[in-house]
Amino acid sequence: MTTPSTLREPEGIHNFREVGPYRLSGGGAIRGERIYRSGALEQMTAVDAAWLAEELGLRTVLDLRHGDEIALRHGPHPLEDRVFLNSIFPDHVRQEDLIAELNGLYGAGISPGRYMHYLEIGGDKLARAFELFAEEENYPFLVHCTAGKDRTGVLIGMIMDVLGASPEDIAHEYGLSDLSIDRLLAYLRSSGRDLQGTDEEIRARLATPPEKMAGFIELLHEKYGSSEAFFLSQGVSAEKIERVRGLLTARA
């Protein structure tokens, strides 16, 4: 599955796509025109903003970035009034220090264990983000971080798991971010990021092999039983979980 052909590729937004329509184990499929995902938004054009606001009708922009990343922006974007800030990483610790800690524990590249660590340091924030999807007035959503692949990928993967998507489809959805590596690199360089290593090493760090997300889902199930069980352990009510399922499931 690729980005649906009915969607244009925004000029100033990398890694943009709709989530779905994946089949679900309980019947039906992920409902279309409900959740979109992307990387950072501050380079969106006026045409992009009008399309997102007027044609897609976005109501909520869920920004998962750390405060240090927000500070790097060159001003707000045109849809700032729809933004709900919910950093997965604790804002009282510098982003640089968090990354250094993760790299020390898991290496510089992505890994299932690294993603599991997100649940340890930001489980409460993931749960609060999930709860937003239980309110119909918040739809449609655009979920993003800087690259739109790691923090965004973990949250989207867990939502898909709750809905009943197969591990293969969750991994496939995550892997689609590989199609945007060139645009992600251009964004990072234009925003002044200091990218360490050769071009090959940088691309390897930015890649999203489906097996990495599959491994994360496997570890999550081993430790908690399911994404639903994880959210319940973080105080999300069973009623809200069922509301999310109802709002995001299209019945045949």
Side-chain angles (χ1 to χ4, degrees):
M1 182 182 300
T2 58
T3 302
S5 59
T6 55
L7 292 184
R8 64 190 287 275
E9 185 174 21
E11 181 181 348
I13 305 172
H14 57 278
N15 204 14
F16 179 90
R17 63 186 180 272
E18 182 179 4
V19 178
Y22 297 98
R23 305 300 301 177
L24 302 175
S25 60
I30 295 178
R31 187 175 170 187
E33 301 179 345
R34 300 258 89 185
I35 303 180
Y36 304 90
R37 58 183 292 176
S38 76
L41 301 179
E42 57 264 23
Q43 293 183 7
M44 77 167 70
T45 66
V47 172
D48 293 336
W51 178 66
L52 292 170
E54 298 168 16
E55 294 190 39
L56 298 190
L58 288 182
R59 291 184 181 174
T60 305
V61 175
L62 178 55
D63 187 341
L64 304 178
R65 293 179 298 174
H66 187 274
D68 290 350
E69 295 168 284
I70 303 294
L72 290 174
R73 300 182 309 169
H74 300 295
H77 59 71
L79 301 183
E80 204 73 26
D81 61 327
R82 300 165 205 229
V83 170
F84 185 92
L85 285 173
N86 189 60
S87 172
I88 297 303
F89 298 152
D91 268 326
H92 67 275
V93 180
R94 292 193 312 159
Q95 175 87 342
E96 181 180 350
D97 294 335
L98 287 166
I99 292 174
E101 177 185 4
L102 288 168
N103 289 347
L105 290 169
Y106 307 103
I110 59 171
S111 68
R114 190 183 186 102
Y115 287 161
M116 281 295 291
H117 200 86
Y118 290 7
L119 275 60
E120 295 179 27
I121 62 176
D124 58 332
K125 293 298 188 71
L126 285 164
R128 301 296 80 77
F130 179 82
E131 288 180 318
L132 295 174
F133 292 86
E135 306 302 328
E136 186 166 11
E137 62 267 22
N138 291 336
Y139 289 91
F141 274 87
L142 173 58
V143 183
H144 80 94
C145 49
T146 292
K149 66 185 185 70
D150 298 315
R151 286 161 290 182
T152 298
V154 165
L155 178 59
I156 294 296
M158 294 178 75
I159 291 173
M160 291 178 68
D161 189 41
V162 167
L163 296 177
S166 70
E168 293 77 16
D169 281 344
I170 296 171
H172 173 81
E173 167 58 34
Y174 169 81
L176 291 176
S177 291
D178 257 358
L179 300 173
S180 191
I181 286 181
D182 286 341
R183 295 193 67 192
L184 171 58
L185 269 171
Y187 166 78
L188 293 173
R189 285 169 173 152
S190 68
S191 60
R193 301 303 206 279
D194 181 19
L195 303 178
Q196 301 293 321
T198 66
D199 191 63
E200 183 179 357
E201 291 169 338
I202 294 167
R203 286 177 175 276
R205 290 200 302 272
L206 298 178
T208 54
E211 61 268 20
K212 301 296 185 180
M213 178 55 61
F216 163 66
I217 294 296
E218 183 178 353
L219 288 179
L220 188 157
H221 285 193
E222 287 176 0
K223 182 168 184 178
Y224 296 100
S226 65
S227 294
E228 176 179 2
F230 171 79
F231 286 128
L232 288 170
S233 76
Q234 295 293 316
V236 179
S237 69
E239 178 186 6
K240 286 186 176 180
I241 290 172
E242 285 307 311
R243 285 213 301 268
V244 172
R245 288 196 178 107
L247 289 166
L248 286 174
T249 301
R251 298 297 177 183

